[in-house]
Amino acid sequence: MNGAPQKIRLDEWDARHARLCAGGLCEPDYGGTLSRHVGERGDERLRHLLFDNSAAALRLWNFLLTEEDRLRGHRLAGRKLVGTMKDLGTVPVMVFALPNLVAFYPDGAWWTPCLMEYSDGLFKVADRLGIDDSFCPVRAMLGAFVTGSHFPIPELLICSAGAVCDDFSAVAQRLEPLGFPVFWWEVPRRRSPEPGVCLPGGFVASDDQIALARSELGRVRLALEELAGSSLNDAALSASIRAANLVRRRLRALRDLAFTAESSPLPALELLIAEMLALHYCSDRDETVVVLEGLLAEAQARVAAGQGVLPADAARVFWVNPVADLRAMNLLEECGGRLCGTDFMLGHALVDIPEDLPPLEALARVALADPMIGPTPDRARLIGAEMQRLGSEALVISRIPGASHCAREGNIIRQFVQENFGMPTLEIEVPPLSDSLVPALRSRLRALVETAIARRTS
Amino acid sequence: MGTCHFAETFLRMAASAEAAVFATSCDQMRRAADEAAADNRGNIFLMNIPATWQTPAARKLYREEIERLGAFLVRLGGTAPSPAALAAEMHVRAREDSLEHRATAEAGENIPLAIVGESLLWTHFHLPEFLEARGVRVALDATSDGERRLPLFPGEARIDGDPFTVMVDGYFDSVTDVFQRPNTRLYDWLRPRVRERGIRGIILWNYAWCDLWRAEANRLREEFPMPVLHLDAGEAFTPSMETRVEAFLEILRA
């Protein structure tokens, strides 16, 4: 039904959608054409992207782009919304253990200026509040809170503090005097190397740091219980952990297949979006599993048929940090590259949460496995190990404009990869709309790709 | 690009020191410590200062970090002080005149001004003189090297019983900084001092790319109904900064 895999434009998707429907495509209630998001929501960026042409990808995009409706639906159904901020993946596991609560990351508003090509005005609101473009694009979240126009205002805001980016912490702090109280919990900066407990994913943390994280998550549990009006017991938490692991396992299977197949079965853009589902399941955990299974089945079918969306000789690129402009993922492929490994700052949301430990202990360990809260050399080593495992040929570090962690981490990671593996590396900066920089970005990415391909024969 | 000058300066100084103690109070310093460690500069200690302050867990973390710092200093060749020696040192500190007292004592005819923000570097030390020469005095030094950092050791009698606990609590309870979450303690600390000292203007001193202080510029304006000058500092107190300060002072005098 899907035909040969390829990347198509938005206008081509409308015709394809009609053909798929005529062929019997069964869509969920949030289904429909992709182009409607331009008219209904102002997601103009979609006009400038290339999409995978599979029904599974269509479902992924529609799922992502209808989250605001879903959140409002949850509220109408009497569920309470919890805005979880910064920790990327841990607190939502706790929230979804309570049936009358739903978690989402207001942080996700950082892509709104890109998707709406600045017509949202969120940066202007942030500017007026003193959070200018010297901050990371996550400042759009501030505008979204103030205007109340991109997500419903949650009943409870929970944000990790401590070993987090300064920009995010500053933006979240700015919310409080504006009338959005925040529940802060401490994430200590992970120390290494020293004797301790091996965390999911391979980092090590000391017992005292795990104890602190566990105790802080205990406070989070109390706050959630108070909001929910019911107890959050270990059995419910354990069930939620098992459900989270289902999502994570599917994602890992998808990533491993996509990154290691001879020809990439899915484009970089859809792989980026898929990874984001691990954070809070786009507000619907069960549907996330369905969406991911659809993508995995599509990828498996393509690999089995020897098909891919990119030439088999595309340079295998490991990508570090998420991009503020989704178009950058298209650009990588246009330049002859393909994704072969990622560190989108959420590695701890992809690993299994231990199921054989008391649930808060397991969640504390996963929270401390966050690649961003420990030493950058540790993160560099993990990236290097992943590059080896996946057969990556080059490294791109994508700086997030204004992000405090980007000022120094790039050099450390690049130096490690170059010295230990001799691989070509490139550091670029991708703003929310990169159109004016595309010629320069293209030249630099092409040079990286050429270098990586040339190394195959040298 | 993107690195704060204060952290950069500290990193440079650390390169020539036998040991360096960094703090996790901001991402810039945390990652500067990473860079120092990645460059194989030995004897780097990164002290984890909790951002939260409301819980016993945060206090415990702070205490453990002080203990870890002590062990680090002993590894460098230092000697752990006896409780009596520590108590004696703390008594001295407790009795010292604070900058707060000095600032009050110096009150005169000049326009009282507050400087809020990060520490001044040695290249900026002439700023107070520059202000005084123009009829303004710094009546509230709320930079990270000013009054805010002075620990309180309430109840000197307690010092002799358990000096370490008193020291840890004294510092932990005195920390009022922009990195804390929530950072209400900073404003709770500022409000009475701004009021009592009749502050008429505020200079926010932050280094370019310091997100934490920069984000407070508008909050300071909302909180204190007076002129606020936001200075993005770099390596030096430049002529253009002087011009901005001069203009600000004109506004204060008007």
Side-chain angles (χ1 to χ4, degrees):
Chain A
M1 185 166 70
N2 274 332
Q6 58 177 313
K7 292 191 291 180
I8 60 176
R9 295 189 312 270
L10 186 70
D11 56 341
E12 294 173 308
W13 243 121
D14 280 357
R16 178 155 179 74
H17 179 259
R19 286 199 301 276
L20 287 171
C21 288
L25 176 68
C26 184
E27 289 190 280
D29 58 357
Y30 57 80
T33 62
L34 273 186
S35 63
R36 80 184 196 278
H37 301 293
V38 178
E40 291 173 7
R41 300 172 190 278
D43 291 339
E44 291 288 334
R45 199 59 174 162
L46 301 182
R47 293 185 196 278
H48 302 109
L49 300 177
L50 289 174
F51 306 90
D52 183 74
N53 68 339
S54 66
L58 174 70
R59 188 166 185 154
L60 170 72
W61 279 104
N62 277 329
F63 186 48
L64 174 81
L65 296 171
T66 55
E67 183 171 18
E68 189 183 341
D69 297 341
R70 207 153 34 251
L71 288 170
R72 295 191 192 284
H74 283 308
R75 176 159 285 166
L76 281 174
R79 296 182 197 98
K80 291 178 178 167
L81 305 181
V82 181
T84 52
M85 301 196 290
K86 193 62 207 131
D87 71 296
L88 298 183
T90 304
V91 173
V93 178
M94 301 176 70
V95 175
F96 278 93
L98 287 156
N100 62 337
L101 301 187
V102 174
F104 76 101
Y105 279 95
D107 322 20
W110 90 302
W111 267 330
T112 304
C114 164
L115 277 169
M116 299 184 69
E117 296 194 337
Y118 294 153
S119 62
D120 51 289
L122 295 183
F123 284 160
K124 286 183 181 165
V125 178
D127 283 343
R128 285 201 294 276
L129 293 165
I131 305 295
D132 61 16
D133 60 5
S134 67
F135 291 82
C136 148
V138 82
R139 69 196 178 101
M141 177 182 81
L142 189 59
F145 270 99
V146 171
T147 61
S149 55
H150 294 276
F151 50 71
I153 303 302
E155 276 85 0
L156 175 64
L157 281 174
I158 299 176
C159 186
S160 56
V164 302
C165 321
D166 288 343
D167 354 29
F168 193 92
S169 189
V171 170
Q173 174 64 66
R174 194 73 184 86
L175 286 171
E176 288 208 307
L178 298 172
F180 305 101
V182 177
F183 179 98
W184 303 95
W185 65 285
E186 185 82 28
V187 174
R189 194 260 190 192
R190 192 182 57 244
R191 297 194 297 268
S192 186
E194 65 175 49
V197 176
C198 188
L199 303 172
F203 295 129
V204 174
S206 60
D207 290 327
D208 58 319
Q209 293 195 314
I210 293 172
L212 173 72
R214 194 174 57 233
S215 133
E216 288 298 277
L217 291 175
R219 286 203 304 123
V220 171
R221 165 147 69 176
L222 292 176
L224 294 176
E225 286 178 337
E226 189 178 346
L227 179 68
S230 60
S231 161
L232 176 51
N233 59 40
D234 278 3
L237 273 175
S238 295
S240 192
I241 286 172
R242 287 193 296 276
N245 283 340
L246 279 182
V247 172
R248 293 170 182 223
R249 283 172 199 145
R250 277 156 184 75
L251 253 177
R252 290 205 306 275
L254 179 67
R255 293 172 83 247
D256 279 359
L257 182 63
F259 296 155
T260 58
E262 189 175 340
S263 178
S264 185
L266 285 173
L269 182 53
E270 278 74 12
L271 290 170
L272 166 70
I273 301 299
E275 278 201 31
M276 297 302 145
L277 298 189
L279 299 180
H280 68 270
Y281 325 119
C282 233
S283 315
D284 186 335
R285 191 172 56 197
D286 293 339
E287 184 62 16
T288 287
V289 173
V290 175
V291 169
L292 290 177
E293 284 180 342
L295 286 169
L296 183 57
E298 183 69 36
Q300 287 167 333
R302 288 177 176 181
V303 170
Q307 295 177 322
V309 284
L310 298 168
D313 64 349
R316 295 167 175 265
V317 174
F318 192 102
W319 195 283
V320 175
N321 293 338
V323 284
D325 185 356
L326 298 172
R327 191 180 168 195
M329 293 286 92
N330 284 165
L331 191 61
L332 167 69
E333 295 174 341
E334 183 190 317
C335 294
R338 63 175 278 193
L339 273 194
C340 180
T342 58
D343 175 345
F344 290 142
M345 298 165 40
L346 46 85
H348 58 303
L350 303 177
V351 296
D352 262 10
I353 308 167
E355 295 181 12
D356 56 350
L357 294 171
L360 279 193
E361 169 77 16
L363 290 167
R365 292 189 187 188
V366 167
L368 288 174
D370 182 343
M372 301 304 290
I373 67 166
T376 307
D378 280 8
R379 187 182 179 207
R381 277 189 286 276
L382 198 66
I383 288 169
E386 272 294 277
M387 291 181 75
Q388 290 286 91
R389 183 178 76 84
L390 297 167
S392 314
E393 298 172 298
L395 175 77
V396 170
I397 296 172
S398 176
R399 289 171 65 117
I400 301 168
S404 59
H405 57 91
C406 288
R408 295 188 188 276
E409 68 184 7
N411 276 344
I412 295 173
I413 296 170
R414 289 182 75 178
Q415 198 174 337
F416 179 84
V417 169
Q418 282 167 351
E419 284 178 4
N420 290 278
F421 309 112
M423 285 185 204
T425 67
L426 175 67
E427 189 167 9
I428 57 175
E429 182 164 291
V430 180
L433 284 186
S434 60
D435 298 353
S436 63
L437 295 177
V438 161
L441 288 173
R442 186 184 286 125
S443 299
R444 301 186 69 203
L445 285 168
R446 278 189 178 150
L448 180 80
V449 165
E450 283 171 20
T451 308
I453 289 174
R455 286 182 75 244
R456 291 176 184 167
T457 52
S458 64
Chain B
M1 183 187 158
T3 56
C4 125
H5 181 67
F6 185 86
E8 196 61 40
T9 302
F10 189 86
L11 186 59
R12 276 206 308 268
M13 291 168 69
S16 56
E18 287 182 26
V21 178
F22 292 74
T24 61
S25 42
C26 72
D27 206 11
Q28 292 271 356
M29 287 299 270
R30 198 163 66 232
R31 291 178 187 279
D34 282 351
E35 196 163 312
D39 288 348
N40 287 322
R41 297 178 203 165
N43 293 333
I44 300 297
F45 184 86
L46 177 57
M47 182 169 168
N48 195 344
I49 302 183
T52 53
W53 45 270
Q54 313 89 322
T55 65
R59 186 178 297 269
K60 180 168 176 284
L61 169 63
Y62 188 76
R63 183 186 177 104
E64 287 167 354
E65 287 296 293
I66 296 280
E67 288 169 344
R68 217 166 55 83
L69 174 61
F72 170 77
L73 295 174
V74 168
R75 273 204 308 279
L76 290 179
T79 306
S82 66
L86 179 59
E89 179 65 22
M90 289 167 63
H91 281 301
V92 171
R93 291 299 300 266
R95 287 168 191 159
E96 273 182 352
D97 278 343
S98 70
L99 286 178
E100 187 165 356
H101 293 152
R102 257 180 276 160
T104 308
E106 287 167 3
E109 295 302 310
N110 289 352
I111 298 172
L113 186 82
I115 301 185
V116 179
E118 194 41 82
S119 307
L120 272 61
L121 289 166
W122 68 272
T123 47
H124 311 125
F125 280 173
H126 62 291
L127 175 64
E129 284 174 25
F130 177 87
L131 294 169
E132 279 169 25
R134 285 152 184 81
V136 173
R137 70 188 158 84
V138 180
L140 176 58
D141 179 358
T143 65
S144 299
D145 269 343
E147 298 169 41
R148 278 194 296 109
R149 76 180 176 93
L150 295 175
L152 297 171
F153 300 135
E156 268 196 74
R158 281 181 59 221
I159 290 178
D160 295 319
D162 183 358
F164 186 74
T165 298
V166 174
M167 181 187 74
V168 169
D169 289 349
Y171 275 98
F172 186 76
D173 293 332
S174 303
V175 175
T176 52
D177 212 314
V178 71
F179 71 87
Q180 293 183 309
R181 293 293 174 264
N183 65 11
T184 43
R185 291 215 298 197
L186 175 65
Y187 288 89
D188 291 345
W189 187 91
L190 280 172
R191 262 183 233 108
R193 287 165 177 81
V194 166
R195 189 177 56 246
E196 288 159 11
R197 298 181 195 186
I199 299 297
R200 288 173 46 192
I202 296 173
I203 291 180
L204 170 60
W205 183 266
N206 93 283
Y207 293 94
W209 302 108
C210 167
D211 296 327
L212 295 177
W213 279 113
R214 186 177 190 80
E216 296 305 314
N218 274 34
R219 173 84 191 278
L220 283 168
R221 291 187 181 101
E222 290 158 8
E223 191 76 38
F224 302 106
M226 62 184 69
V228 175
L229 174 67
H230 179 188
L231 281 181
D232 257 340
E235 191 168 356
F237 188 54
T238 60
S240 71
M241 290 169 76
E242 287 183 9
T243 306
R244 292 194 64 210
V245 173
E246 297 264 20
F248 178 66
L249 299 184
E250 272 183 44
I251 295 167
L252 285 185
R253 286 191 210 101

